Amino acid sequence: MTPLRKATLLSMAAGAIELQLERGWRARVSIVDGHTGRFTLLPPDGFREPRTWALDPDGAFPLEGRRRDSLFPPDANAAATRDGDRLVLAGSHLRARIALDPFAVTWQQQVAQGQWQSCCGDRDESYAYGVSERSGTLHHWCKRDPADERYFGLGDKTGPIDLAGRRLRTRALDALGYDAKTGDPLYKHWPFFLDHHAGHACGLYYDTLAECTFDFGAEHDNYHGRYRATEIADGDLDLYIFAGPTLREALARYVAAIGGTALPPRWTLGFANTAMGLADASDAQQRIRDFLG
């Protein structure tokens, strides 16, 4: 694994900052709107997943998907400035503070008029990004507060609703016979979670179809402080941050970005039965006949 430790400024304009990293990699930090930020790692040879089928700003959702680099142009109202040795990109309710060496981005949201609070931030004691060139795996490490942190999301997951302290994968796997307390992965690929600490929340969505691993504090290393980690297997690191400050607001902004779910016809909300309980039984044929009868 090769760390991407240092960044140099390539361009800074209203709504977006682009940076040069090591080994030909680049990074783009942008404000999509007043409440939404975006961080994208740009590979030297182009995106591995140049199209997305999850996000669509106009609700059209074409069958062929949308080009990743055409989505969500930067908000021209977001100001890009310098604050000492850091770069700052600020929208009306969300802003990014960027350190160049070691390279790290800290996102802050406005929780009250004129009051800003860190909602999520990269690990800045050592390095926050890395790439495994042989496997193609991308790595992202963020700071965490073990005394006051809760994580919710990732689709179907076993055990408590709060995922703090666990290591989980998002992989579309038919998990028959899983353990209801510790089994993983389950059926859905859903790389979105809510980060709640200090009484406020934000949402984080990694827009990739690649298998992801999320470590919410299971791993510990004395050299790097307390952190959580995300690994993306041979995909792209294209991260969206949805400011809250409440859980309800952060989730609503994410749902608006992906389009939500259409209300099904009322007649579909009646009796439902899974076939597995019948088909796996030793007397499956008789049970199916009984059910149909």
Side-chain angles (χ1 to χ4, degrees):
M1 192 276 296
T2 301
L4 302 176
R5 298 174 186 267
K6 298 181 180 181
T8 56
L9 178 63
L10 286 176
S11 65
M12 184 167 66
I17 293 176
E18 191 157 323
L19 305 120
Q20 182 68 57
L21 307 179
E22 291 127 311
R23 296 181 177 267
W25 286 77
R26 292 177 293 132
R28 181 183 299 128
V29 184
S30 61
I31 297 292
V32 171
D33 59 45
H35 297 84
T36 307
R38 183 182 184 185
F39 176 90
T40 310
L41 269 185
L42 304 168
D45 53 354
F47 287 122
R48 296 162 182 167
E49 303 169 290
R51 293 183 178 272
T52 177
W53 285 262
L55 295 157
D56 193 279
D58 55 22
F61 290 102
L63 184 63
E64 68 275 13
R66 296 290 293 267
R67 289 198 59 83
R68 187 177 301 279
D69 53 11
S70 70
L71 284 173
F72 300 112
D75 181 1
N77 294 317
T81 60
R82 290 181 179 269
D83 182 10
D85 59 351
R86 294 179 181 253
L87 307 175
V88 180
L89 187 61
S92 59
H93 290 80
L94 183 70
R95 67 186 182 189
R97 295 178 59 84
I98 305 167
L100 301 180
D101 187 7
F103 175 50
V105 183
T106 298
W107 294 91
Q108 299 173 321
Q109 63 181 332
Q110 185 171 250
V111 295
Q113 186 63 37
Q115 181 182 346
W116 294 82
Q117 180 195 70
S118 175
C119 57
C120 59
D122 292 341
R123 187 176 71 180
D124 55 8
E125 294 89 346
S126 49
Y127 53 87
Y129 300 92
V131 55
S132 298
E133 295 183 348
R134 284 188 296 179
S135 67
T137 303
L138 301 177
H139 305 263
H140 182 204
W141 294 273
C142 293
K143 292 189 294 186
R144 66 183 186 89
D145 180 3
D148 181 21
E149 62 181 0
R150 293 187 293 173
Y151 302 104
F152 310 102
L154 302 187
D156 289 354
K157 291 300 171 190
T158 57
I161 190 172
D162 180 6
L163 305 177
R166 299 189 64 189
R167 182 178 175 88
L168 300 156
R169 288 186 292 165
T170 58
R171 183 182 178 193
L173 180 71
D174 199 7
L176 301 180
Y178 63 87
D179 185 284
K181 291 184 178 180
T182 61
D184 185 69
L186 292 186
Y187 301 101
K188 292 182 176 66
H189 173 86
W190 204 265
F192 167 80
F193 65 91
L194 293 161
D195 181 338
H196 185 276
H197 69 275
H200 298 100
C202 70
L204 296 97
Y205 174 62
Y206 290 83
D207 184 21
T208 176
L209 294 174
E211 179 180 338
C212 300
T213 301
F214 293 88
D215 189 312
F216 295 116
E219 181 178 291
H220 174 69
D221 190 318
N222 284 333
Y223 293 103
H224 300 286
R226 302 287 183 176
Y227 59 86
R228 60 175 172 80
T230 302
E231 296 177 4
I232 300 171
D234 200 23
D236 288 306
L237 202 169
D238 195 4
L239 170 64
Y240 290 83
I241 298 92
F242 301 95
T246 67
L247 287 166
R248 182 187 296 271
E249 289 171 308
L251 181 58
R253 290 181 178 117
Y254 166 64
V255 172
I258 65 171
T261 302
L263 180 66
R266 289 181 180 274
W267 59 265
T268 67
L269 303 179
F271 176 77
N273 184 76
T274 174
M276 298 309 300
L278 303 177
D280 286 352
S282 58
D283 57 342
Q285 193 64 39
Q286 185 59 46
R287 290 196 185 195
I288 291 173
R289 287 196 181 100
D290 293 343
F291 173 74
L292 293 175

